[in-house]
């Protein structure tokens, strides 16, 4: 009962149960339980964030993960889909490890997943919804959807997806469930739909979501997606081929089929449309702004302020615009020119200005305009625009500033008054004062909202100011209307003033309008005539019968109309007056033929035809040929009608009219013109017909030839010129075209005459393979495959691999295509083709070679992905590529490692490399193969060794084979040994019996076959009796028998008889002595022991080198000292010491001393180290093994010990001249802080610094060594400020700058590099007491004289160099004058070098140059000073203040300091130079060493 309960409890704790949610049933369902042995208790449980894995921790500290995905599969061999649940899928891009989650928030199973949009988007289908996700940001949306399989997806917009289905477009915003909106349109091209979803907001306005699309080819609809309401509809006269909203959705650009670009402002209630550009081939909004870029021909047009379309900037370009790119610093238009892509930079400041206006950021806009360069006229419109917008927003001060900038003082003054009024009102009523009526009225006037200003005045019952406002603006009509409407008391005076003003200014027309308004039409007519406006007077007369009846007045109007050449209006007046003759003449003079013909039809019918012809002639003169056609037809002037129709390009009407012409000569002339038009228009059939009608056959043939319609030309030519002549003509022309490179035309001619073979040969000779294939497929199908293969080979040779692949596949030659990609290392394509070929062998072989080219873990990943890792391992083994096979097996298929080892072992065995073969057989679990191999090779030792260790069951086989070999060689002892090992004593017995070797047989029988003793014993005894004593063998037999019989004394004596006098077998002697010792120890050491036997025994043991056994005898006898000494002679030091410590402690030291002397005499360093480290190290040093000695000292972790030997070794190396080795030893084992070693460091520094190098690389190597050494010394000395630390720190910096200077010399020459190297050389002068001074001053002076601005410095330094040279020659330091360097960090007193560092030729050259500079009036002996009034390279100024030093140049860090850490600084300019240098060319180890 208890056991059952425990079992049940154990099952419960070792089982993990998983439950899955069933959406249909609405509950969890239990899956198969997961049983894990020895799981015990789970103490923690957690899901992975994506739900694909559950992790459990056990009470015993174990952690395991359980994959809970429903299923996995691959999409397009790139995307791994993991179904965490039916409604949740994780998508992983295996190439980039990018992960995206696809989740149905409605819990519906995802039935299908599709990758779309260049694999950047995912579409998932459920039973009633659609899930759309974009991979870059991981956003997804779910919408209700019932798929019919016909929907199309457009992913051109970064924020939305368009789903087109049956003329309806559903708009889905990524990250938002449900559609944003729907539209219906048949025009679904991405270029005809523009969506903006709150991409850039405007201050004070809600972000908008808008879409612009086409209702039909010429009508644009603007919809607000937030409300679903249609905001605007824009109709256009032509079809539209592109449109785009700006990012705020407040402006629209579109282009029509005539390549005209239009801009529509959608912000206001009334749409403002502007025609921006004609013949536009590219148009685009600049990203994150409202700037427009467009191309027309070779000009780039930029509108920085779209609110003013007339303000456009034009830039000449050479090419086509490809894109507009913008970042934080610049905006560029990328233009593809003939040879390269060129970037044209736009004015980013103006772009920012336009954006500021759009965002109503007036302060930013004004700041831009104030910083703008050039005349105010250049920014006039911008100032005005900002002022108007600021005024509209109530920003009075900003508006005043803008109008002041453009000199509009009237507005400035009015704004000043308004600002003062606002300030006064603010004090009175609070706020900013803009609520005051006077302020509001002034702002309305400034904004030209006069009606609003009028209403404000009227609200305050201030009619007089309102009237005065209109008077000031000369808006008299508004003033009079307001005065009349408000019963203004000064109305009459106002009106009288207005009349006087009109009369004084000659505005009779305006006065006439006032008379009309008063009803005095006669006076108005007189005023109109006075104002020379007879048309207005005619209007009054024609609508007033009384005025029309006044003949004198009517005649005055008519005369005025004729004088102003308004003949049509005069004609209408004469017609009203029934003067039809003058009316008809007036109509003719005014070319109002419509009214003239209408009048003539009633009054003069005979003149209608004449008028129609005149009307036609007039229209032709005006270029209106199309309109003239009908009038010529009405006048029966067919020839003129045809000519007008031809000029108007109305050739269909011209044909109709020509058909009616009876004169065929005239008709043929028109037919040829009509035919020429149709030929130019490409309507060759109609052109041919009319050319034939015009009897112009040759023109028709030439038409076809010019158009390249050789077959039609051939047909027509054969019909009219004859087939034979036509063929000869075509063949000759085709050959001429071929020779002139007009191959396409020549092809048409060859085909026209039916000679396709000639066309194919022509293309083959020209290397036009595509055309060869095309014609071959059409005219020579039997050779298509061969042609494809030839084409593939040619394309492959030219490097056009994709085209070559297509050609090979068309030829059915998969192998050639696969080989092509494989030889070029393009294994993905080779594998793709191998899979397509259907050959599994090809697939595996290509996969193997692909993986081999990849190598490492990537190869295993690839083969696992391809699914044939094991096959690849087999292929590698077959190919003999075992290294790769091992890599694959170790990384991905460890179970295959034994097989690879076995195969590799067989390979080595075939190659005769038995050692390697044996190792791999064993590693592969086949030691038997190794044993058999060694048996065949008769290497018995190796065979037995391997069998013993790895295959004991094969030992007998080894022994059998060895015994056979020994028997054949007559070595019976070896044979016996091996057969006994093989447990085959009967075989030995049979062998000896057959050869009558009775003693051996008896021996074997006694030991291993007692049942055979009886038959052999009698013969053996007889043989021993007949043969007498058998020597050693007899002693052995006797000893055994006496021992068996308990006669131990005799037995021991018998064994001791086996000695050098009785046998030379030392092993047998030793064996017998040990046997005698064992018997003696056990049985013969009692009180009555035989002392003589014991002495003989001990002597025999010592003689037989069995001192250890002798020690046992001594111990048994109580002779402890003799026992210890015996163990020492046997080199059993451990036992000797143990016995000494236990029984004779005083001898322990004596044993240790003997042990050490033994190890020293044997040279056994390994054991000596454990006993006496110092002795071991000294022994290694005696042998010359210094590095082993130092390694041993280092392992002791005792720094003084290591420093001692490092100091000794490095001192020896330095004395021997091996400086670099000494530095390496210091750097490897650490520096010594003992002051006795400091001289070694100084000597190393001096030797390396002064030793010339054969190359810059060698010099840098040596300098970097001493630099690293000095760094280690400085770090070892710590932070304590001592003279030694200061000295070594200066040596460190000197070595650093010298190494840095040499490294920079390996870079490509540039002015920056030259300047930086000079600065380093000038800084190095402060170390002239450490480095040969003549060398420093020479190189610094030479570098300085190369730069014009430092030529005087070069003069000073080279002059000082000459002083040094002279002092060195004379060995007199007093000859050097260093006074010019006072107040700097350059040492004034330095040790003179023993000899000159610079050659005599260089010295003479310097002397000549210094002499030349000395006579130069511009030469000065001065050093350049910085703002400290100190030499610019000196870190110490004249007052003794020390500045921080730049680690790059050595110059003082004064400004633009850059902290590098560890207390190091750099000048920003010098650091930037080095960074720039490293970006273009790496300089070896510039920053080597731990210091950096």
């Amino acid at each position: 009962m208890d056991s059952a309960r425990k079992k049940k409890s154990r099952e419960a704790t070792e089982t993990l149960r998983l439950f899955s949610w069933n959406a249909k049933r609405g509950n969890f369902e239990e899956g198969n339980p997961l049983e894990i042995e020895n799981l015990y208790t789970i103490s923690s449980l957690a899901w992975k964030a994506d739900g694909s894995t559950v992790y459990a921790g056990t009470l015993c500290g174990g952690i395991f993960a359980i994959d809970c995905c429903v299923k996995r599969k691959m999409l397009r061999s790139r995307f791994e889909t993991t179904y965490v649940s039916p409604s949740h899928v994780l998508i992983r891009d295996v190439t980039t490890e990018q992960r995206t989650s696809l989740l149905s928030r409605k819990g519906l199973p995802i039935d299908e997943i599709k990758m779309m949009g260049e694999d950047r988007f995912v579409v998932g289908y459920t039973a009633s919804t659609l899930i759309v996700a974009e991979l870059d940001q991981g956003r997804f949306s779910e919408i209700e959807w019932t798929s019919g399989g016909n929907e199309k997806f457009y992913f051109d917009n970064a924020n939305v997806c368009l789903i087109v289905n049956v003329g309806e477009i559903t708009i889905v915003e990524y990250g938002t469930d449900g559609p944003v909106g729907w539209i219906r349109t048949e025009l679904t091209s991405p270029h005809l739909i523009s969506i903006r979803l709150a991409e850039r907001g405007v201050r004070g306005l809600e972000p908008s979501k808008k879409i612009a699309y086409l209702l039909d080819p010429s009508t644009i609809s603007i919809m607000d997606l937030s409300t679903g309401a249609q905001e605007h509809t824009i109709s256009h006269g032509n079809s539209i081929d592109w449109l785009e909203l700006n990012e705020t959705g407040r402006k629209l650009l579109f282009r029509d089929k005539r390549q005209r670009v239009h801009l529509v402002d959608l912000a206001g209630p009334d749409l403002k449309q502007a025609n921006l550009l004609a013949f536009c081939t590219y148009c685009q909004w600049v990203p994150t702004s409202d700037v427009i870029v467009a191309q027309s021909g070779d000009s780039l047009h930029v509108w920085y302020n779209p609110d003013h379309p007339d303000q456009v900037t034009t830039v000449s370009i050479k090419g086509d615009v490809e894109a507009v790119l913008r970042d934080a610093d610049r905006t560029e238009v990328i233009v593809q020119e003939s040879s390269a892509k060129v970037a044209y930079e736009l004015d980013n400041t103006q772009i920012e200005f336009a954006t500021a206006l759009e965002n109503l950021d007036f302060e930013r806009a004004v700041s831009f305009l104030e910083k703008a360069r050039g005349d105010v006229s250049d920014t006039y419109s911008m100032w005005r625009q900002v002022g108007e917008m600021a005024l509209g927003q109530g920003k009075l001060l900003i508006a005043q500033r803008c109008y002041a900038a453009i000199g509009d003082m009237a507005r400035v003054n009015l704004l000043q008054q308004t600002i003062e009024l606002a300030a006064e009102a603010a004090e009175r009523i609070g706020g900013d004062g803009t609520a005051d009526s006077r302020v509001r009225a002034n702002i309305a006037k400034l904004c030209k909202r006069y009606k609003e200003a009028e209403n404000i005045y009227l609200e305050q019952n201030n009619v007089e100011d309102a009237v005065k406002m209109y008077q000031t603006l000369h808006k008299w009509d508004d003033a009079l209307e307001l005065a009349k409407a408000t019963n203004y008391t000064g109305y009459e005076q106002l009106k009288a003033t207005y009349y006087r003003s009109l009369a004084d200014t000659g505005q009779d027309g305006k006065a006439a309008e006032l008379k009309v308004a008063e009803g005095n039409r006669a006076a108005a007519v007189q005023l109109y005539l006075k104002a020379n406006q007879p048309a207005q007077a005619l209007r009054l007369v024609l609508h007033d019968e009384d005025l029309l009846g006044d003949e004198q007045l009517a005649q005055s109007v008519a005369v005025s109309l004729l004088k102003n050449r308004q003949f049509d209006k005069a004609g209408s007046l004469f017609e009203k007056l029934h003067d039809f003759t003058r009316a008809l003449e007036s109509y003719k003079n005014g070319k109002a033929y419509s009214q003239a013909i209408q009048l003539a039809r009633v009054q003069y019918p005979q003149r209608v035809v004449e008028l129609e012809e005149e009307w036609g002639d007039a229209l032709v003169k005006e270029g209106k040929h199309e309109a003239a056609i009908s009038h010529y037809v009405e006048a029966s002037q067919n020839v003129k009608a045809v000519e007008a129709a031809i000029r108007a390009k109305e050739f269909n009407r011209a044909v109709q009219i020509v058909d009616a012409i009876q004169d065929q000569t005239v008709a043929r002339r028109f037919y040829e013109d009509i035919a020429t038009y149709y030929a130019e228009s490409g309507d060759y059939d109609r052109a041919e017909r009319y050319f034939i009608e015009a009897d112009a056959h040759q023109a028709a043939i030439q038409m076809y030839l010019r158009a390249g319609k050789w077959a039609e030309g051939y047909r027509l030519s054969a019909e009219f010129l004859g087939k034979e002549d036509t063929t000869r003509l075509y063949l000759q022309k085709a050959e001429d075209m071929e020779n002139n490179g007009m191959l396409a035309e020549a092809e048409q001619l060859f085909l026209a005459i039916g000679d396709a073979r000639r066309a194919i040969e022509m293309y083959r000779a020209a290397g036009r393979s595509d055309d060869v294939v095309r014609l071959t497929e059409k005219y020579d199908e039997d050779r298509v495959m061969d042609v494809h293969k030839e084409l593939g080979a040619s394309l492959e040779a030219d490097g056009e691999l994709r085209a070559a692949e297509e050609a090979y596949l068309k030829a059915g030659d998969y192998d050639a295509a696969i080989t092509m990609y494989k030889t070029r290392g393009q294994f993905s394509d080779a594998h793709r083709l191998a899979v397509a070929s259907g050959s599994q062998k090809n697939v595996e072989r290509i996969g193997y070679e692909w993986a081999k080219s990849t190598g490492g873990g990537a190869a295993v990943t690839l083969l696992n992905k391809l699914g044939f890792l094991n096959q690849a391992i087999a292929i590698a083994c077959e190919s003999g590529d075992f290294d790769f096979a091992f890599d694959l097996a170790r990384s991905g298929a460890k179970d295959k490692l034994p097989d690879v080892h076995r195969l590799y072992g067989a390979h080595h065995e075939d190659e005769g490399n038995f050692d390697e073969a044996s190792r791999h057989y064993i590693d592969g679990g086949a030691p038997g193969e190794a044993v058999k191999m060694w048996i065949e090779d008769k290497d018995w030792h190796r065979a037995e060794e391997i069998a013993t260790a790895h295959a004991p069951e094969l030992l007998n086989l080894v022994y059998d084979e060895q015994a056979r070999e020994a028997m054949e060689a007559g070595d019976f002892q070896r044979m016996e040994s091996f057969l006994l090992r093989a447990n085959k004593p009967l075989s030995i017995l049979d062998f000896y019996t057959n050869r009558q070797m009775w003693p051996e047989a008896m021996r074997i029988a006694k030991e291993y076959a007692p049942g055979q003793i009886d038959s052999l014993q009698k013969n053996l005894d007889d043989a021993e009796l007949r043969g007498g004593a058998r020597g050693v063998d007899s002693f052995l037999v006797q000893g055994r028998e006496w021992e068996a019989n308990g006669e131990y004394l005799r037995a021991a004596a018998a064994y001791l008889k086996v000695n050098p006098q009785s046998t030379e077998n030392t092993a047998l002697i030793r064996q017998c002595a040990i046997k005698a010792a064992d018997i003696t120890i056990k049985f013969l050491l009692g009180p009555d022991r035989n002392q003589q036997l014991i002495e003989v025994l001990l002597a025999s043991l010592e003689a037989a080198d069995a001192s250890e056994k002798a020690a046992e005898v001594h111990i048994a006898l109580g002779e402890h000292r003799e026992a210890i000494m015996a163990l020492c002679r046997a080199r059993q030091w451990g036992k000797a010491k143990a016995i000494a410590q236990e029984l004779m402690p005083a001898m322990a030291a004596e044993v240790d001393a003997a042990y050490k002397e033994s190890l020293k005499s044997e040279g056994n360093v390994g054991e000596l180290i454990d006993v006496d480290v110092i002795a071991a190290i000294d022994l290694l040093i005696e042998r010359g093994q210094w590095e082993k000695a130092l390694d041993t000292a280092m392992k002791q972790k005792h720094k003084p010990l290591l420093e001692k030997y490092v100091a000794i070794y490095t001192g020896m190396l330095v004395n021997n001249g091996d400086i670099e080795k000494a530095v390496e030893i210091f750097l490897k084992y650490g520096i010594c802080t003992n002051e006795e070693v400091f001289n070694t460091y100084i000597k190393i520094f001096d030797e390396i610094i002064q030793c010339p190098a054969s190359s810059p690389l060698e010099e840098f190597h040596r300098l970097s060594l001493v630099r690293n050494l000095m760094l280690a010394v400085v770090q070892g000395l710590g932070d304590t400020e001592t003279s030694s630390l200061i000295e070594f720190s200066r040596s460190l910096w000197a070595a650093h700058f010298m190494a840095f200077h040499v490294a920079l010399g390996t870079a490509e020459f540039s002015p920056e590099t030259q300047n930086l190297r000079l600065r380093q050389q000038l800084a190095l002068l402060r170390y002239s007491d450490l480095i040969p001074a003549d060398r420093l001053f020479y190189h610094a002076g030479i570098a300085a004289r190369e730069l014009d601005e430092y030529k005087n410095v070069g003069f000073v330094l080279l002059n000082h160099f000459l002083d040094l040279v002279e002092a060195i020659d004379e060995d007199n330091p007093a000859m050097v004058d260093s006074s010019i360097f006072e107040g700097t960090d350059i040492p004034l007193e330095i040790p003179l070098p023993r000899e000159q560092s610079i050659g005599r030729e260089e010295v003479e050259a310097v002397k000549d140059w210094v002499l030349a500079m000395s006579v130069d009036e511009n030469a000065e002996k001065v050093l350049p000073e910085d703002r400290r009034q100190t030499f610019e390279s000196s870190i110490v100024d004249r007052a003794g203040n020390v500045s921080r030093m730049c680690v790059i140049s050595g110059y003082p860090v004064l400004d633009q300091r850059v902290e590098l850490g560890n207390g190091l600084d750099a000048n920003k300019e010098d650091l930037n130079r080095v960074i720039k240098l490293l970006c273009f060319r790496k300089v070896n180890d510039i920053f080597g060493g731990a210091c950096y």
Side-chain angles (χ1 to χ4, degrees), residues 494-515:
L494 180 65
K495 186 166 63 172
T497 302
Y498 187 24
Y499 276 125
R500 282 197 306 273
S501 174
L502 292 175
D504 294 341
T505 57
Q507 299 183 52
D508 297 313
K510 189 64 177 177
E513 292 176 5
L514 292 176
K515 291 296 184 184

Side-chain angles (χ1 to χ4, degrees), residues 202-412:
V202 178
R203 185 186 298 177
L205 298 177
E206 290 293 330
S208 63
K209 294 184 178 182
K210 292 185 180 180
I211 181 172
Y213 64 97
L214 294 183
L215 295 174
D216 57 54
S218 60
T219 304
I220 302 173
S221 175
I222 312 295
M223 177 186 289
D224 188 337
L225 294 174
S226 301
T227 62
Q230 189 176 50
E231 290 190 342
H232 303 287
T233 300
I234 303 170
S235 297
H236 190 62
N238 295 295
S239 296
I240 296 168
D241 64 1
W242 176 85
L243 59 84
E244 185 173 15
L245 290 165
N246 71 339
E247 293 172 348
T248 61
R250 296 166 62 83
K251 290 182 175 60
L252 172 70
L253 275 177
F254 69 88
R255 184 181 65 185
D256 58 26
K257 291 292 186 180
R258 294 187 178 182
Q259 295 186 319
R260 294 179 300 183
V261 176
H262 303 267
L263 173 65
V264 182
D265 189 347
L266 306 175
D270 299 328
L271 297 180
K272 297 179 182 179
Q273 183 170 334
N275 186 358
L276 294 184
L277 188 64
F279 306 108
C280 176
T281 56
Y282 180 91
C283 189
Q284 184 66 50
W285 292 101
V286 172
T288 67
S289 75
D290 290 336
V291 177
I292 302 171
V293 173
Q295 180 183 5
S296 177
D298 292 336
S299 297
L300 180 68
H301 301 263
V302 184
W303 287 266
Y304 290 104
N305 188 357
D307 291 329
H308 296 271
D310 56 321
Q311 298 175 7
V312 57
T313 302
T314 303
V315 180
S316 297
I317 60 175
K318 298 178 181 179
D320 297 325
V321 177
E322 284 197 349
V324 180
L325 305 178
R326 186 180 185 198
D327 57 24
D329 299 322
R330 63 177 60 194
T331 303
E332 294 178 333
V333 179
I334 307 303
V335 178
Q336 178 63 59
E337 297 190 353
S338 58
S339 59
K341 290 184 178 180
V342 178
Y344 290 82
E345 186 172 356
L346 302 183
D347 189 340
N348 212 38
T349 308
Q350 289 202 56
I351 295 175
E352 290 297 324
F353 171 74
T355 306
L357 285 189
E358 183 68 21
N359 295 334
L360 302 180
D361 190 349
F362 301 116
E363 292 82 356
R364 182 177 166 196
V366 168
S367 175
F368 156 73
L369 292 174
E370 288 175 341
K371 295 177 182 178
R373 299 178 180 178
D375 194 357
V376 175
S377 59
D378 297 335
T379 56
Y380 180 88
S381 60
M382 296 182 185
W383 280 111
R384 189 172 191 83
Q385 183 182 8
V386 176
E388 291 174 355
M389 294 182 68
L391 197 58
Q393 295 294 321
K395 306 291 185 179
L396 303 182
L397 287 173
I398 293 177
Q400 186 184 37
R401 171 68 184 90
C402 295
Y403 288 122
I406 60 176
D408 191 345
M409 299 312 296
R411 279 190 168 84
V412 171

Side-chain angles (χ1 to χ4, degrees), residues 1110-1121:
E1112 292 181 19
V1113 176
H1114 284 302
I1115 290 174
L1117 292 171
E1119 299 171 353
H1120 300 147
R1121 182 175 184 84

Side-chain angles (χ1 to χ4, degrees), residues 65-132:
I66 302 170
D67 189 348
C68 297
C69 71
V70 178
K71 62 179 178 179
R72 276 194 178 91
K73 63 179 182 179
M74 293 295 293
L75 293 178
R76 298 193 179 183
S77 300
R78 175 181 171 186
F79 296 94
E80 179 189 66
T81 59
T82 302
Y83 284 76
V84 177
S85 69
S87 61
H88 188 186
V89 182
L90 303 178
I91 302 172
R92 180 174 68 91
D93 188 340
V94 298
T95 61
T96 64
E97 292 301 324
Q98 185 182 47
R99 298 174 185 269
T100 302
S101 180
L102 202 64
L103 172 66
S104 172
R105 292 190 174 93
K106 298 182 180 296
L108 299 174
I110 299 175
D111 302 324
E112 183 182 4
I113 294 176
K114 295 181 180 179
M115 304 303 300
M116 296 185 178
E118 299 179 351
D119 292 339
R120 293 173 50 243
F121 300 90
V122 184
V123 177
Y125 291 88
T126 70
S128 60
T129 64
L130 188 69
I131 306 172
V132 182

Side-chain angles (χ1 to χ4, degrees), residues 572-600:
S572 62
L573 178 58
F574 284 132
E575 190 174 353
K576 278 284 189 179
L577 297 174
H578 300 288
D579 190 351
F580 300 115
T581 301
R582 294 182 68 184
L584 185 61
E585 290 301 320
S586 295
Y587 282 139
K588 285 177 62 178
N589 291 334
K591 294 184 173 52
Y593 289 101
S594 177
Q595 294 93 320
I597 291 173
Q598 186 178 357
L599 177 61

Side-chain angles (χ1 to χ4, degrees), residues 658-893:
V658 170
D659 290 341
I661 297 177
Q662 300 300 321
D663 189 344
Q664 291 301 313
T665 303
V666 175
R668 278 196 291 273
R669 176 169 61 86
F670 290 126
Y671 276 131
E672 187 168 358
D673 292 340
I674 294 170
T676 301
Y677 166 77
Y678 283 121
E680 293 173 352
S681 302
D683 192 349
Y684 300 112
D685 291 338
R686 299 179 71 175
E688 176 188 341
R689 182 166 72 250
Y690 294 125
F691 273 130
I692 293 173
E693 288 286 347
D695 198 21
H697 310 115
Q698 191 66 36
I701 295 171
Q702 290 300 323
M703 172 191 71
Y704 281 126
L705 295 181
R706 282 193 302 271
K709 293 188 171 293
W710 312 106
E712 290 81 355
Y714 181 78
R715 171 184 55 77
L716 204 60
S717 179
E719 180 180 349
F720 290 100
L721 302 180
K723 186 172 183 179
E724 184 176 343
D725 291 343
T726 300
T727 301
R728 185 169 54 255
L729 174 65
Y730 266 54
L731 187 59
Q732 180 181 355
K733 190 170 184 63
E735 291 174 350
D736 292 341
M737 288 181 172
E738 179 182 357
N739 294 332
N740 293 328
M742 303 169 63
L743 303 186
E745 293 79 1
E747 173 196 344
Q748 294 297 324
L749 290 177
F750 284 129
L751 296 180
I753 62 178
D755 195 352
R757 181 186 58 80
R758 287 289 302 277
I760 293 172
E761 291 302 321
M762 173 189 71
Y763 281 125
R764 181 175 283 111
R768 299 266 293 269
S769 302
D770 291 343
D771 294 304
V772 172
V773 171
R774 175 175 55 80
L775 294 179
T776 304
E777 288 176 344
K778 190 172 182 179
Y779 299 102
D780 192 1
E781 295 181 358
D782 295 338
R783 293 197 69 254
V784 170
M785 292 300 181
D786 295 337
V787 170
H788 280 303
K789 288 182 181 179
E790 294 171 4
L791 174 58
S794 175
L795 291 170
E796 180 182 355
D798 294 337
E800 298 179 16
L801 304 186
R802 288 292 181 187
E805 172 194 341
E806 183 178 356
Y808 283 132
L809 295 186
K810 287 181 179 178
D813 194 351
Y814 278 89
D815 290 339
I818 292 170
T819 301
M820 171 186 71
Y821 282 123
K822 183 177 67 176
T823 55
R824 288 164 173 79
Q826 298 183 15
F827 289 98
S828 60
D829 292 308
H831 179 264
R832 171 175 53 80
L833 293 177
V835 172
S837 70
S839 170
Q840 186 62 25
K841 183 177 180 181
N842 274 347
V843 173
E844 293 177 358
R845 172 58 63 178
I846 292 301
Y848 162 73
E849 295 187 10
W850 187 2
K852 186 177 179 182
S853 69
T854 304
V860 175
T861 302
L862 173 63
L863 290 171
N864 281 326
K865 178 182 176 182
L866 299 177
F868 45 81
L869 175 60
N870 292 340
Q871 294 90 324
I873 294 173
I875 292 172
C877 293
E878 291 173 5
S879 305
D881 192 356
F882 289 98
D883 290 341
F884 185 54
F886 278 120
D887 289 342
L888 294 179
R890 291 189 186 102
S891 300

Side-chain angles (χ1 to χ4, degrees), residues 1056-1141:
L1056 289 175
K1057 291 178 182 179
V1058 180
N1059 52 41
Q1061 288 75 29
S1062 60
T1063 180
E1064 295 180 359
N1065 188 343
T1066 57
L1068 182 61
I1069 294 171
R1070 188 173 186 278
Q1071 181 181 356
C1072 291
I1074 292 173
K1075 185 66 175 175
D1078 290 337
I1079 293 172
T1080 302
I1081 292 171
K1082 288 181 180 180
F1083 305 106
L1084 301 177
L1085 293 181
D1088 55 345
R1089 56 179 176 264
N1090 190 324
Q1091 191 64 33
Q1092 184 179 0
L1093 175 68
I1094 291 173
E1095 291 175 359
V1096 173
L1097 173 63
L1098 290 172
S1100 298
L1101 289 171
E1102 291 294 337
D1105 195 21
S1107 300
E1108 187 174 359
K1109 182 58 71 174
E1112 292 181 19
V1113 176
H1114 284 302
I1115 290 174
L1117 292 171
E1119 299 171 353
H1120 300 147
R1121 182 175 184 84
E1122 288 77 8
I1124 293 170
M1125 297 306 296
L1127 287 172
C1128 289
R1129 290 193 297 274
R1131 289 179 171 77
Q1132 296 294 324
W1133 306 104
K1135 291 182 179 180
K1137 188 169 184 179
I1139 293 172
Q1141 289 175 342

